[in-house]
Amino acid sequence: MIIVMEPQANETQIQNVAKKLESLGFKIVFNRGEVMTVLAAIGDKRLIEPASLASMEGVREVKLIQEPYKLVGRESKMEDSVIDLGHGVKIGGNQPPVIMAGPCSVEKGIDGLLQVAYGAKEAGAQVLRGGAFKPRTSPYDFQGLEEEGLKYLAEAREKTGLLIATEVMDTPEIGLVAEYADILQIGARNMQNYKLLKALGKVNKPIILKRGPAASIREFLLAAEYIIYAGNPNVILCERGVKGLDSHYTRNIFDIAAIPVIKKYSHLPVIADPSHATGRRFLIEPMSKAAIAAGAHGLMIEVHHDPDNASSDGAQSLTIDQFKALMSQLKLLCKQ
Ligand code: PEP
Ligand code: MN
């Protein structure tokens, strides 16, 4: 930790800061410049709340040089985490990208879902993803089929051998969703629902944690830290875009740089969701390629049997044929 003192800070103020830190076991190195003094405090940052230093007389700024997360960071685990998703599919490290595809919402009548599932399987996807509990911006929009939707997903798994990923929106539903799903998704809106994150720590299934629309990468990693700290190390991070200035052309800003940044600081697998990141069908192919080129360990792509009549997110959903064409392109890219 670095404590930058004000230029006008007097010796008593400098010593007060040093004494406070020393009393907590920090070793202090003074750097006395022409204009101001900087203190380097070496020790365990968890012993002090940085704000309690920042408010001391004569202190200009407190800078942390250690990242605030522990378990998600490379400091605690150098090598990439590889998560076993079941059915022989692994994600992370040098594993080939895992492709998750499916409709935004699981809709009434299983036939459409089965068409997507068979198409996705044929194209080479490993996971069928569809929402049974839907977090919708408006309470008047389709809210999901709930358990009936979970049953459809389980039937699609039975028929195709695909793994099933679906969203859990609230703590009381974790048990029900985990009964059906192979992988639980936490939606962007719930990234900072800390009670839910803590409860997911007790679940014995991999978790896809989506980045909040207004979350920094550090906040995103700290949200993952909650789940791991509570006991579940199997967290997959999903970059799905953040709020931008221009929702006319793209729904969100796809933060591609977040992928290599996360891989630099964390050992966890990171996937990308170009569907929610862009909101536009024509952008899915270029952004999927960009995400793979940037090092994503997988993709989550919305695919619908009839996007024009989808209950949610039709504009960003690929048709089954478009998804197959995309997969052919991605296979070429992955070979290079
Ligand atoms: C979804 O995956 O369908 C979804 C609602 O995404 P997000 O939580 O990223 O908005
Ligand atoms: Mn969606």
Side-chain angles (χ1 to χ4, degrees):
M1 195 171 7
I2 303 289
I3 298 98
V4 182
M5 302 300 295
E6 295 284 5
Q8 66 274 23
N10 61 37
E11 193 54 31
T12 311
Q13 291 168 339
I14 294 170
Q15 289 304 330
N16 282 346
V17 173
K19 272 186 220 144
K20 179 164 179 170
L21 285 161
E22 275 165 350
S23 72
L24 291 165
F26 286 87
K27 182 172 176 292
I28 309 299
V29 178
F30 290 87
N31 187 344
R32 293 179 189 273
E34 292 262 313
V35 182
M36 53 221 275
T37 296
V38 173
L39 283 65
I42 300 146
D44 186 350
K45 186 228 108 187
R46 283 170 298 188
L47 297 173
I48 191 159
E49 175 59 50
S52 74
L53 285 176
S55 60
M56 287 181 78
E57 291 295 323
V59 173
R60 167 170 285 195
E61 202 180 348
V62 178
K63 292 183 191 223
L64 300 178
I65 48 177
Q66 244 180 342
E67 291 297 333
Y69 41 80
K70 307 261 172 254
L71 303 168
V72 307
R74 293 262 183 207
E75 288 91 346
S76 72
K77 188 167 181 260
M78 272 300 290
E79 70 281 12
D80 286 349
S81 284
V82 175
I83 300 175
D84 193 343
L85 300 177
H87 295 195
V89 181
K90 292 185 175 152
I91 189 166
N94 294 325
Q95 297 293 317
V98 173
I99 309 298
M100 313 183 183
C104 177
S105 302
V106 177
E107 298 168 10
K108 198 85 191 151
I110 194 172
D111 289 356
L113 183 71
L114 289 178
Q115 281 178 46
V116 172
Y118 282 121
K121 174 80 183 177
E122 194 189 317
Q126 292 87 359
V127 180
L128 176 66
R129 192 221 72 126
F133 292 89
K134 290 304 304 176
R136 302 306 303 282
T137 304
S138 163
Y140 306 112
D141 288 339
F142 179 58
Q143 303 287 307
L145 294 183
E146 304 193 345
E147 189 168 5
E148 190 185 356
L150 299 174
K151 289 188 170 147
Y152 288 3
L153 286 167
E155 191 175 330
R157 170 178 49 206
E158 190 88 349
K159 292 203 151 87
T160 60
L162 289 169
L163 293 158
I164 298 301
T166 196
E167 177 157 354
V168 56
M169 277 175 59
D170 205 1
T171 308
E173 288 147 13
I174 291 177
L176 176 70
V177 178
E179 242 178 69
Y180 291 90
D182 301 296
I183 307 162
L184 306 188
Q185 172 180 321
I186 302 308
R189 294 160 182 80
N190 261 328
M191 189 206 85
Q192 285 174 310
N193 182 340
Y194 298 118
K195 278 200 168 165
L196 178 60
L197 300 179
K198 284 182 190 176
L200 292 163
K202 306 289 171 252
V203 176
N204 190 18
K205 296 257 161 110
I207 309 291
I208 295 172
L209 178 65
K210 299 189 90 175
R211 181 176 178 182
S216 67
I217 293 173
R218 189 176 270 171
E219 287 164 338
F220 189 20
L221 291 173
L222 282 167
E225 184 88 4
Y226 265 92
I227 303 174
I228 300 181
Y229 183 56
N232 184 352
N234 298 320
V235 180
I236 300 157
L237 299 163
C238 178
E239 164 58 42
R240 48 76 75 204
V242 288
K243 285 263 179 237
L245 303 171
D246 189 354
S247 58
H248 180 70
Y249 294 106
T250 64
R251 183 173 176 181
N252 289 296
I253 291 186
F254 188 19
D255 186 0
I256 295 208
I259 298 165
V261 168
I262 290 169
K263 288 179 71 173
K264 178 174 165 66
Y265 288 93
S266 174
H267 51 86
L268 295 175
V270 50
I271 65 171
D273 169 358
S275 308
H276 293 88
T278 67
R280 305 276 186 273
R281 194 173 301 147
F282 80 98
L283 289 170
I284 307 305
E285 183 191 313
M287 293 304 101
S288 296
K289 289 178 174 170
I292 295 293
H297 294 112
L299 296 172
M300 176 184 282
I301 295 169
E302 287 189 334
V303 182
H304 195 278
H305 65 287
D306 178 14
D308 291 345
N309 291 301
S311 302
S312 56
D313 287 348
Q316 66 192 35
S317 300
L318 298 183
T319 63
I320 297 169
D321 284 345
Q322 285 167 339
F323 178 68
K324 287 181 179 170
L326 170 66
M327 288 295 280
S328 308
Q329 296 276 317
L330 293 178
K331 278 176 200 154
L332 291 176
L333 183 71
C334 289
K335 270 200 199 125
Q336 282 169 15

